[in-house]
Amino acid sequence: MATRRPAPPAFVCTECGWTTSKWVGRCGECQQWGTVQEQAAKTGIFRQMSPLAPGADRAARPITQISTAETPRRSSGVAEFDRVLGGGIVPGAAILLSGEPGVGKSTLLLEVAAQAARGGRRVLYASAEESQAQVRLRAERTGALHDELYLASETDLATILGHIDEVGPQLVIVDSVQTVASSLSDGAAGQPSQVREVAATLIRVAKERSLPIIIVGHVTKDGQVAGPRILEHLVDVVCHFEGDRQTALRFIRALKNRFGPTDEVGCFEMTGDGIAEVPDPSGLFLGHGSTEPGTCVAIAMEGRRAMPVEVQALTVATTAPNPRRVVSGLDSARVAMVLAVLERRAGYETGKLDIYVSTVGGVRFTEPAADLAIAIAVAASIRNFSVPRTIAAVGELSLAGEVRAVTQAAQRRSEAARLGYQQVIDDRSERLSAALDDVRSRSRSVHPAKKHQSKIDDVPPF
């Protein structure tokens, strides 16, 4: 078989376009010197790939003629999960759910599968990590048994696709993408090439059949989704399931959502019978109404949901050269800054006190809106006065002692009013000293001073 010789390089004059097969210093047409240059060789890519005419249903159209009708959604049966997704599951959507080991991803998705089955949809739950008996035991414990919920324990992608063809589900859950392998890619399951191939195939099936697929993804020790970063680009929705193992509270957040907002948060609670929704978590982060000094309620924002969080402070006199600063549930750097502002701008001595600051319920409250509540709680503990239960505080403190406005202030005040807080101490006080004055004057009117209180309580705060 004769081999094809490559075409000889062509030289062209940049002035008149004269061509030749060999380089010359002078153009043979216009007689110009130094104008003859080598022409770039053609790659042949367009000769190897022939254009394909799109069908009538896939033809490009002016953007003004494209329908803006909203894609229909179907409820998953779990209201908090629907809230994060933007109102429900969109047909053909590929959803990636990530989270740390043991946080409850499988329990949550088993509940979603059971609720969808009770709603009349056939669901296929493909577990690549647990056997069918293990999943069945958890389903019995959580009450997730239903005839329309089909269970398969497979680690081969081709077999999972065969189950989809045989069962004909309306919702597919794959747990997890890092434990499924495809014969079309080399390497063991979990390697980047395998994860990319498995995810791309499942997403293609979801788009072609308008079949929503929920994929579970492992995370690394840094909290990132394991595998190639392209996995998060391929899917439509990326959700993260998080929670503290010391508490039963769990949150699900949308990090990416092509069909809705990414600032919604779903709240759940792990119980002995599985996972339960918490539609109104207001009472989880409040104490029992104690009037002990050193507590103040702040209004935190989890996504677009406002929740009251009780901040507690305890101050103890110490003779140690380095007083202790113990912080739980708050940003320790911001607490240190608030203590400095409290001493410098409001006259509260904190340098000879061990100070402990914490939130109730194990919630993380790290936004600047907690500054004012921290300052009021610490000041109340130092001067031994109780903050009335009808007062909530929201505000950011500057180093100059100013109380600044925070984001979504109107929604925070509205939630405080709904929960019965008659006054919200915020940026309308302008200065930290004025805010503390207001709180302490109301404290005296509600909780009159007792005779056995120490003399330090009679010292003006500033």
Side-chain angles (χ1 to χ4, degrees):
M1 182 177 179
T3 58
R4 183 179 179 182
R5 293 183 178 180
F11 297 87
V12 62
C13 177
T14 58
E15 294 292 334
C16 64
W18 176 76
T19 59
T20 180
S21 59
K22 60 181 181 179
W23 181 84
V24 292
R26 184 176 182 177
C27 177
E29 183 72 24
C30 63
Q31 303 299 317
Q32 295 287 335
W33 287 92
T35 59
V36 179
Q37 298 180 3
E38 184 178 0
Q39 188 178 13
K42 296 182 178 180
T43 60
I45 294 179
F46 292 101
R47 291 196 299 268
Q48 297 175 6
M49 180 183 297
S50 57
L52 179 63
D57 56 337
R58 304 185 65 177
R61 294 178 294 168
I63 192 172
T64 55
Q65 298 180 9
I66 296 177
S67 174
T68 58
E70 185 178 359
T71 305
R73 301 174 184 265
R74 297 200 64 175
S75 173
S76 64
V78 180
E80 292 296 298
F81 191 52
D82 291 341
R83 173 197 290 269
V84 176
L85 297 179
I89 299 177
V90 177
I95 303 171
L96 176 64
L97 178 66
S98 64
E100 295 183 356
V103 74
K105 301 184 298 296
S106 300
T107 304
L108 171 63
L109 292 183
L110 191 59
E111 179 67 19
V112 171
Q115 293 294 342
R118 295 188 185 103
R121 285 181 289 170
R122 182 169 295 183
V123 182
L124 174 63
Y125 190 102
S127 175
E129 298 181 354
E130 300 175 283
S131 65
Q132 292 181 338
Q134 290 174 322
V135 180
R136 166 64 191 257
L137 287 174
R138 187 168 67 249
E140 288 181 351
R141 177 174 58 87
T142 60
L145 298 177
H146 198 277
D147 291 337
E148 288 298 315
L149 175 54
Y150 287 73
L151 180 63
S153 180
E154 298 290 348
T155 59
D156 181 64
L157 178 61
T159 308
I160 293 178
L161 298 180
H163 283 300
I164 294 177
D165 291 336
E166 183 178 351
V167 175
Q170 296 172 289
L171 175 64
V172 175
I173 299 174
V174 179
D175 186 7
S176 66
V177 68
Q178 281 87 3
T179 54
V180 178
S182 172
S183 59
L184 299 179
S185 180
D186 298 331
Q191 293 187 353
S193 58
Q194 282 284 359
V195 173
R196 188 184 302 110
E197 177 65 27
V198 171
T201 302
L202 291 174
I203 293 171
R204 185 169 62 251
V205 171
K207 302 303 179 184
E208 292 176 352
R209 306 188 183 187
S210 294
L211 174 65
I213 296 181
I214 303 177
I215 305 171
V216 177
H218 293 168
V219 297
T220 62
K221 61 182 179 180
D222 297 330
Q224 303 294 327
V225 180
R229 193 72 177 183
I230 193 175
L231 177 61
E232 300 177 56
H233 291 280
L234 290 175
V235 297
D236 301 310
V237 182
V238 179
C239 295
H240 186 66
F241 198 46
E242 60 185 20
D244 188 356
R245 293 191 178 185
Q246 306 301 324
T247 63
L249 194 64
R250 300 290 187 270
F251 289 106
I252 181 171
R253 308 172 187 272
L255 306 180
K256 170 189 174 182
N257 193 351
R258 291 174 177 166
F259 313 117
T262 58
D263 55 356
E264 283 289 2
V265 176
C267 189
F268 298 89
E269 185 178 9
M270 296 296 293
T271 64
D273 298 328
I275 192 166
E277 299 180 67
V278 184
D280 189 7
S282 301
L284 297 178
F285 314 123
L286 296 176
H288 300 289
S290 174
T291 57
E292 289 295 323
T295 63
C296 184
V297 175
I299 307 298
M301 294 298 300
E302 284 289 345
R304 291 190 294 178
R305 170 182 288 177
M307 296 184 298
V309 176
E310 183 172 307
V311 178
Q312 296 183 343
L314 177 64
T315 58
V316 181
T318 181
T319 57
N322 297 318
R324 300 188 65 185
R325 301 288 186 263
V326 180
V327 180
S328 176
L330 298 162
D331 187 357
S332 57
R334 297 204 68 87
V335 172
M337 186 198 73
V338 169
L339 295 180
V341 174
L342 191 63
E343 180 166 354
R344 178 65 175 174
R345 305 301 179 185
Y348 285 76
E349 295 185 3
T350 61
K352 298 181 179 181
L353 298 173
D354 288 338
I355 299 179
Y356 305 82
V357 186
S358 176
T359 58
V360 173
V363 65
R364 291 284 300 171
F365 189 16
T366 58
E367 57 178 320
D371 291 354
L372 186 57
I374 296 172
I376 293 176
V378 174
S381 179
I382 293 175
R383 297 297 167 86
N384 199 30
F385 65 88
S386 299
V387 178
R389 305 298 298 178
T390 58
I391 289 181
V394 176
E396 177 185 0
L397 293 183
S398 70
L399 296 180
E402 300 172 339
V403 181
R404 294 181 176 178
V406 296
T407 59
Q408 298 173 300
Q411 186 172 351
R412 297 176 198 259
R413 285 194 290 266
S414 176
E415 179 67 12
R418 185 185 71 84
L419 295 173
Y421 294 96
Q422 300 175 5
Q423 183 183 11
V424 176
I425 308 297
D426 52 16
D427 60 296
R428 291 172 292 186
S429 299
E430 296 184 355
R431 305 286 302 179
L432 174 60
S433 56
L436 294 175
D437 254 346
D438 192 8
V439 173
R440 194 168 185 187
S441 64
R442 293 177 179 274
S443 174
R444 286 171 175 167
S445 63
V446 177
H447 305 284
K450 298 179 181 179
K451 295 182 179 179
H452 64 271
Q453 287 182 335
S454 59
K455 295 182 178 180
I456 193 173
D457 191 39
D458 299 328
V459 179
F462 26 76

